[in-house]
Amino acid sequence: MIIVMRHDATPAQVRAVVEQVESHGFKTHMSSGEERTVIGVIGVNPVALRDLFEEAPGVANVVPISKPFKLSNREFRPRNTKVTVGTREVGGDGLWIVAGPCSVESEAVFLETARQVRDAGAHALRGGAFKPRTSPYTFQGLRHDGLRILAQARKETGLPVVAEVLTPADIEAVGEVADVLQIGARNMQNFALLSEVGRTRIPVLLKRGMSATIEEWLLSAEYVLSQGNYDVILCERGIRTFETYTRNTLDLNAVPLVRELSHLPVIVDPSHGTGRRSLVAPMAMAGIAAGAHGLMIEVHPHPEAALSDGAQSLTPEDFRNLMQAVRTIAQTLGTKL
Ligand code: PEP
Ligand code: MN
């Protein structure tokens, strides 16, 4: 439920409503726009007390939110959320392009890739130090050594870093080097992890689970938001379907739909979304055309030798070409790159 305050409500009236709501055991979340203040009321069945709140001084109206996701709902915050990462605003006017290898494999390879993607125009680096692998017998990441390499690349290139966090116990160490904590598809419904990253104030990149509905995905975002961390970037990375020629089916419906339903920024990962290098650029362009706020692209200088996801990794040269194509689309759409 949201309580919309009158545009001339005084700060004291807003405070009084918040106190009244909280005295009934509900939590409040504020959204202070230029024209109006909205108080989100979170808890079990707040609508039962609707009449009471409607009469409070300064209240314009009280609106139940019928969808189960509340704080991520556009009804709560009509304007797009902008998440600041380094010097960029994700969800603002410009696109946000994140690139790098699937995993941090060695200092030399990571630094080389980092410089190349920066020179091609990427805004952030990606690279997993802790990898969520389907098989326990495949490369699991360099772990703390990987974090050290990420920190070095961040310093050398000046680019912010996106890195995955697998468990609550890793948040502190990953958070020391990462500007954005990635929650991978396999952990999208790890509710303990979501709540814990929600207690940090580090931006979170929340990938869609491979079998998750859009509503489940937004409810996962809700776990982060409800702990007070509003800096959530959604990432469509493909879902499982009957198709076997591609690794996943990139659900581009999700992009405009999420933009309708939610104020959170949404980016597209065509690397995991297709699993095939040749499909990455076309689907990246389609994602931007569909309204994505950015892209996450896997890039490796020697994809054939990559320790994970080589088949879907672009070479730095492919990435440079993709950036050119994205620039053209961005211009056509009137978006900045
Ligand atoms: C990744 O980004 O390398 C990754 C493991 O992605 P996902 O969680 O989408 O499979
Ligand atoms: Mn990967």
Side-chain angles (χ1 to χ4, degrees), residues 101-103 126 128 131-132 164 182-187 207-208 210 237 247-248 269 272 296 298 309 312:
C102 179
S103 313
R126 63 149 289 145
K131 292 303 299 177
E164 180 157 355
Q182 175 171 321
I183 303 287
R186 292 157 190 79
N187 264 327
K207 296 190 111 185
R208 181 178 179 183
M210 57 187 84
R237 49 77 72 204
R247 181 176 177 184
N248 290 294
D269 169 356
H272 294 86
M296 175 174 257
E298 286 187 340
D309 289 351
Q312 66 195 33

Side-chain angles (χ1 to χ4, degrees), residues 208 235-241 246-255 267-274 279-280 282-284 286-287:
R208 181 178 179 183
C235 178
E236 164 60 43
R237 49 77 72 204
I239 50 175
R240 270 202 184 174
T241 66
T246 48
R247 181 176 177 184
N248 290 294
T249 295
L250 188 65
D251 178 15
L252 287 185
N253 293 349
V255 173
I267 69 165
V268 162
D269 169 356
S271 306
H272 294 86
T274 63
L279 304 183
V280 170
M283 297 313 286

Side-chain angles (χ1 to χ4, degrees), residues 16 59 77-78 86 91-92 99 102 115 128 167 190 248 286 327 333:
V59 171
R77 276 196 178 175
C102 179
R115 283 189 210 103
T167 72
N190 181 337
N248 290 294
R327 233 168 246 126
L333 294 173

Side-chain angles (χ1 to χ4, degrees), residues 114 130 200 299 308:
F130 296 89
T200 74
V299 179
S308 58

Side-chain angles (χ1 to χ4, degrees), residues 41-97:
V41 182
I42 300 297
V44 180
N45 195 19
V47 179
L49 294 176
R50 180 178 179 175
D51 291 351
L52 186 67
F53 300 132
E54 230 152 26
E55 282 157 23
V59 171
N61 57 334
V62 178
V63 188
I65 296 187
S66 53
K67 297 260 184 332
F69 51 93
K70 312 289 181 191
L71 301 173
S72 52
N73 201 306
R74 216 180 247 289
E75 286 184 59
F76 174 54
R77 276 196 178 175
R79 283 167 197 254
N80 288 348
T81 284
K82 294 175 188 168
V83 179
T84 302
V85 180
T87 57
R88 304 284 295 188
E89 271 191 333
V90 187
D93 297 337
L95 297 175
W96 185 58
I97 313 293

